[in-house]
Amino acid sequence: MVHHSGSIQSFKQQKGMNISKSEITKETSLKPSRRSLPCLAQSYAYSKSLSQSTSLFQSTESESQAPTSITLISSDKAEQVNTEENQNDSVLKCSFADLSDFCLALGKDKGYTDESEHATYDRSRLIHDFVTKDKSEFKTKLSKNDMNYIASSGPLFKDGKKRIDYILVYRKTNIQYDKRNTFEKNLRAEGLMLEKEPAIASPDIMFIKIHIPWDTLCKYAERLNIRMPFRKKCYYTDGRSKSMGRMQTYFRRIKNWMAHNPMVLDKSAFPDLEDSDCYTGPFSRARIHHFIINNKDTFFSNATRSRIVYHMLERTKYENGISKVGIRKLINNGSYIAAFPPHEGAYKSSQPIKTHGPQNNRHLLYERWARWGMWYKHQPLDLIRLYFGEKIGLYFAWLGWYTGMLIPAAIVGLCVFFYGLFTMNKSQVSQEICKATEVFMCPLCDKNCSLQRLNDSCIYAKVTYLFDNGGTVFFAIFMAIWATVFLEFWKRRRSILTYTWDLIEWEEEEETLRPQFEAKYYKMEIVNPITGKPEPHQPSSDKVTRLLVSVSGIFFMISLVITAVFGVVVYRLVVMEQFASFKWNFIKQYWQFATSAAAVCINFIIIMLLNLAYEKIAYLLTNLEYPRTESEWENSFALKMFLFQFVNLNSSIFYIAFFLGRFVGHPGKYNKLFDRWRLEECHPSGCLIDLCLQMGVIMFLKQIWNNFMELGYPLIQNWWSRHKIKRGIHDASIPQWENDWNLQPMNLHGLMDEYLEMVLQFGFTTIFVAAFPLAPLLALLNNIIEIRLDAYKFVTQWRRPLPARATDIGIWLGILEGIGILAVITNAFVIAITSDYIPRFVYEYKYGPCANHVEQSENCLKGYVNNSLSFFDLSELGMGKSGYCRYRDYRGPPWSSKPYEFTLQYWHILAARLAFIIVFEHLVFGIKSFIAYLIPDVPKGLHERIRREKYLVQEMMYEAELEHLQQQRRKSGQPVHHEWP
């Protein structure tokens, strides 16, 4: 930078400060500000050396010298800085040396053709400015870091120096040559370097390797407000921490134990995670001297470089016309067949990682994360974020958090199940059913069904008790509270990750318009109230019209799901007559079980078939809306897919839970569908066993199917691709980008399928958990496999996805909160309506032996089964039989004054059910709200640290700029200001 003689005064005036002439001397060093101590003491040595290093920026001699590379920066031994209060603060000495190659890099790569140019830097000529305690230790560490840099640099151009940041693939036989030629020409005009290379295994395939040079990288990093490190962090602690000695000792013990915990990762195995803990600020070429740049090639990570290249690919024209823009449209019209960032290398090595170290970050991720043998280890989230980007890193962070939180839920659910298992034989209801040899139940169908002894359902009664016992209500309340605790603590965990990954202010800075939105509404512009710049605008009338069409499509698909469920219900009504007269004795004896099992399997097939149509329809409806930004598109698409699949998956479960056996009528006056098929009744032991069967089968089969489609299908496809390559070539080395091309691409919709699978599972775990307490255990076992399965898939079976950024899990958090609310309501209805908890409760305290508290020693549920069954006169059926049969209901006997009318006990039970629903919901919602209030989304300490760091960043930027201005004045021999404000 070159500043005029009054630049310092003008800079001070902008900050609201005045300087007198008496405050100006020559060559006087600066004194740190009280406001920035103690943290600025760490940066004192850095600012001191900055005046020496940045003087080379304007040197004209550097252009004639050999290229020099960036100075490595490290920490020296701590030195003491004396403040006005004579306090001793530990400081960190940082040194900048020759930075003149920044200027050399700018403008060097213009006029590029298809052939590569040699880089303007030489890694072997790095200037090392380290002061270490042990020189041998320094040499070992340096060689290790240099090895890591070389290994992780990824595939290169033919010159062996330029890194490949992106790959485009097309077929030579494709006729869209003009579009490709225009697109590639515009890419070069934007500053990208391109190099073409044909495929080895397939002569028709051509690869275009893309490299983004330093000047283009800096230009777009500044345009996208990418935050980069510029100063080492220090951590501020106040006096309040001194009063927490006991708590600190406690946490120190836990930390020492965690160091020996086999689940904790070995930090020494992750050299790339030893990240410099630095303050960051939006990158600026004008203030490039502020940033800590160890090496020009590694200053921007691979993920950042790929993200910038993709930003350019999405906004480059391929034809004249406002809508002829973007790599996506070129892929859709067949001009290119793929576009992806390359992996850094092979994920396996012939050398053991313990002795030879990782070959690249992909190899490290495979060995320490994606292997099945690491299933019990914590996830290396920082390395996942470094390689795949923050969006995928947040997904695995959320999945790991969800899996960990399932452990207490699974333990409690297992305890409830075992409680039912150990007390099953002591259950009064089960004992009465199993001993009822002289009680005959009315026929459950009209034609082929006969009278059935009540004790024939003894096994069903015992199995039902496993899921419907005294612990059911407690477990339902526990799971409702668990869902709230899980989400609230995830918000805290997310806030810590966004702070650690420097995403606090990212959303406001980098949210850009979708190219499709810009192309559609470019003629209608309004001024953005945030940026003050004109941008395309979608008229309200057009937006409302498109939303109405989209909502109509959603309701149509939901009605299609309900129609499919209705078809399954009709199937159950038709086949139950056939199974009751089946030739096989087993099916004839257990025809109700056979009917339910067959209906569940058919329903699962229908679910899978409808899912194929839902994705395409949701995609069309979302594109019809023309969302403004990429996040809006993802949220809209995710919401549609969730609504479709949630209704598709749970509609049959809702039918069994709340409608099966509710409106059947009574013997002699059964309700019939279309006046032809008699509605299905519940088993004599209740409908809960049908609900458990439905949930268990669908949950189990869906998880197996999802795991196969996520891993088995890509494995088969990749094996077939490798098999075809081996047949076509012999003894030839396949480059990395061609190996990546033969892998399967990531799903078109990114992480939507992964989130959708887990959110639907969360619904299964919480919504009907009162009927199936083993659901959290099944979810836990599945997720332990799911984490490593997804890791293996991302690392080995998929092309490297675009390292996108994100601050949270998007719309899925709102969906999870909605599921938590729905779970409270559904569990209240399941306990009150589906289970027999309320009828038993009313009988115990109103109609049973303990109603008057006379006989305390007697079982209060004695006689409950007989009380819950009504009488019917068999002579009214016209079957030529006399006597009475029993059926589940609370109706008057044939000899009463009002036969087959609801009794007073029925209305008591109905009132108790409604009262239970109201009390349960209000109690649980109150507890959930209170817990959510007690747990803040952002930890207090983190909130204070964020505010302080914002203040320190502003101070450091200001003081670094003053120091830079001082060195400019020293160079010109002008007087230098020396006093801080």
Side-chain angles (χ1 to χ4, degrees), residues 740-774:
D740 292 348
W741 157 247
N742 292 317
L743 296 177
Q744 295 302 307
M746 186 179 177
N747 293 333
L748 181 63
H749 313 303
L751 293 169
M752 195 277 301
D753 290 339
E754 277 69 26
Y755 274 119
L756 181 61
E757 177 188 355
M758 290 295 102
V759 169
L760 292 174
Q761 183 204 83
F762 179 80
F764 262 93
T765 307
T766 55
I767 292 179
F768 293 100
V769 73
F772 193 55
L774 292 180

Side-chain angles (χ1 to χ4, degrees), residues 185-205:
K185 181 180 179 181
N186 291 335
L187 289 178
R188 295 189 189 98
E190 287 293 325
L192 295 179
M193 292 183 171
L194 278 64
E195 183 178 76
K196 294 184 179 180
E197 184 169 331
I200 296 177
S202 177
D204 188 42
I205 299 297

Side-chain angles (χ1 to χ4, degrees), residues 264-383:
V264 176
L265 292 167
D266 183 11
K267 294 296 183 181
S268 62
F270 295 90
D272 291 320
L273 299 185
E274 299 173 2
D275 198 9
S276 57
D277 202 7
C278 298
Y279 296 112
T280 61
F283 182 78
S284 172
R285 287 175 292 176
R287 295 182 177 181
I288 198 171
H289 51 276
H290 290 177
F291 297 93
I292 300 177
I293 305 179
N294 297 337
N295 191 301
K296 186 175 64 175
D297 294 329
T298 58
F299 179 59
F300 294 101
S301 65
N302 284 354
T304 303
R305 297 171 67 97
S306 299
R307 193 159 51 244
I308 292 176
V309 172
Y310 182 77
H311 176 85
M312 300 173 68
L313 292 175
E314 272 289 273
R315 284 154 180 79
T316 302
K317 289 185 178 182
Y318 58 86
E319 275 185 356
N320 293 328
I322 191 68
S323 62
K324 308 296 185 180
V325 58
I327 185 64
R328 289 193 200 176
K329 291 189 175 181
L330 286 172
I331 293 177
N332 291 336
N333 63 32
S335 299
Y336 294 97
I337 54 179
F340 55 89
H343 278 294
E344 292 184 0
Y347 66 88
K348 284 187 178 181
S349 174
S350 58
Q351 308 290 346
I353 190 173
K354 291 184 178 179
T355 57
H356 292 75
Q359 300 299 312
N360 49 66
N361 285 333
R362 188 188 184 195
H363 180 213
L364 183 61
L365 280 171
Y366 174 76
E367 292 290 340
R368 302 302 184 189
W369 178 50
R371 287 193 304 113
W372 297 104
M374 308 299 290
W375 66 269
Y376 62 95
K377 289 285 189 180
H378 292 172
Q379 299 184 89
L381 295 178
D382 290 330
L383 186 58

Side-chain angles (χ1 to χ4, degrees), residues 382-408:
D382 290 330
L383 186 58
I384 297 171
R385 171 244 181 176
L386 178 68
Y387 193 80
F388 292 110
E390 288 80 1
K391 193 171 186 177
I392 294 177
L394 274 175
Y395 163 71
F396 281 104
W398 176 83
L399 181 57
W401 184 260
Y402 171 46
T403 303
M405 289 293 291
L406 279 173
I407 295 176

Side-chain angles (χ1 to χ4, degrees), residues 501-742:
W501 294 348
D502 198 27
L503 297 171
I504 297 297
E505 300 178 358
W506 171 79
E507 185 174 0
E508 296 180 359
E509 296 172 353
E510 297 193 29
E511 190 70 20
T512 56
L513 300 178
R514 295 181 72 235
Q516 293 84 348
F517 181 86
E518 292 178 312
K520 178 69 176 178
Y521 300 104
Y522 71 97
K523 294 182 179 180
M524 295 163 281
E525 291 186 343
I526 62 171
V527 176
N528 189 309
I530 307 300
T531 63
K533 299 178 181 178
E535 65 177 28
H537 171 68
Q538 184 180 17
S540 300
S541 58
D542 181 76
K543 186 174 184 179
V544 171
T545 302
R546 294 179 180 276
L547 283 177
L548 288 176
V549 174
S550 180
V551 170
S552 300
I554 293 174
F555 277 108
F556 172 77
M557 294 305 299
I558 291 177
S559 63
L560 183 62
V561 175
I562 297 175
T563 303
V565 173
F566 181 77
V568 175
V569 171
V570 174
Y571 163 81
R572 294 173 67 111
L573 300 180
V574 172
V575 300
M576 69 178 184
E577 294 277 358
Q578 305 300 324
F579 283 158
S581 60
F582 210 74
K583 296 180 180 180
W584 294 351
N585 187 47
F586 176 81
I587 295 180
K588 184 177 182 179
Q589 184 177 0
Y590 300 101
W591 62 270
Q592 281 187 300
F593 175 80
T595 301
S596 300
V600 169
C601 296
I602 293 175
N603 186 63
F604 177 76
I605 294 174
I606 293 175
I607 288 172
M608 294 295 104
L609 293 176
L610 289 178
N611 283 343
L612 298 177
Y614 291 158
E615 184 173 348
K616 296 180 180 179
I617 294 174
Y619 187 80
L620 292 175
L621 292 177
T622 306
N623 285 336
L624 180 66
E625 296 174 5
Y626 279 98
R628 179 174 173 272
T629 61
E630 200 66 35
S631 61
E632 290 181 7
W633 190 95
E634 292 178 358
N635 291 341
S636 178
F637 181 75
L639 181 60
K640 292 179 180 62
M641 286 298 298
F642 169 75
L643 289 176
F644 289 161
Q645 294 210 18
F646 180 81
V647 175
N648 189 24
L649 200 62
N650 292 280
S651 54
S652 60
I653 298 176
F654 271 90
Y655 164 75
I656 293 175
F658 304 126
F659 297 98
L660 179 63
R662 306 296 168 203
F663 312 102
V664 296
H666 61 85
K669 193 179 180 180
Y670 283 112
N671 297 323
K672 294 187 177 182
L673 183 65
F674 303 133
D675 294 328
R676 182 176 180 182
W677 295 297
R678 173 179 160 184
L679 295 181
E680 187 178 4
E681 290 186 66
C682 293
H683 199 271
S685 59
C687 295
L688 198 65
I689 189 65
D690 294 302
L691 182 59
C692 295
L693 178 65
Q694 185 84 5
M695 289 186 61
V697 171
I698 289 182
M699 190 174 185
F700 180 74
L701 291 179
K702 193 171 189 307
Q703 288 179 349
I704 291 180
W705 176 260
N706 288 338
N707 291 339
F708 170 76
M709 292 302 296
E710 287 184 11
L711 183 62
Y713 185 67
L715 275 173
I716 294 174
Q717 287 187 315
N718 291 335
W719 172 83
W720 181 247
S721 298
R722 291 192 299 268
H723 179 69
K724 290 192 296 184
I725 292 175
K726 290 180 180 179
R727 287 190 306 175
I729 59 174
H730 301 282
D731 300 331
S733 177
I734 304 296
Q736 182 60 47
W737 51 87
E738 191 164 347
N739 286 327
D740 292 348
W741 157 247
N742 292 317

Side-chain angles (χ1 to χ4, degrees), residues 206-223:
M206 179 66 74
F207 296 101
I208 299 180
K209 298 174 286 185
I210 300 177
H211 168 76
I212 180 168
W214 173 257
D215 56 344
T216 308
L217 197 58
C218 292
K219 179 177 68 175
Y220 276 90
E222 181 177 8
R223 183 178 299 178

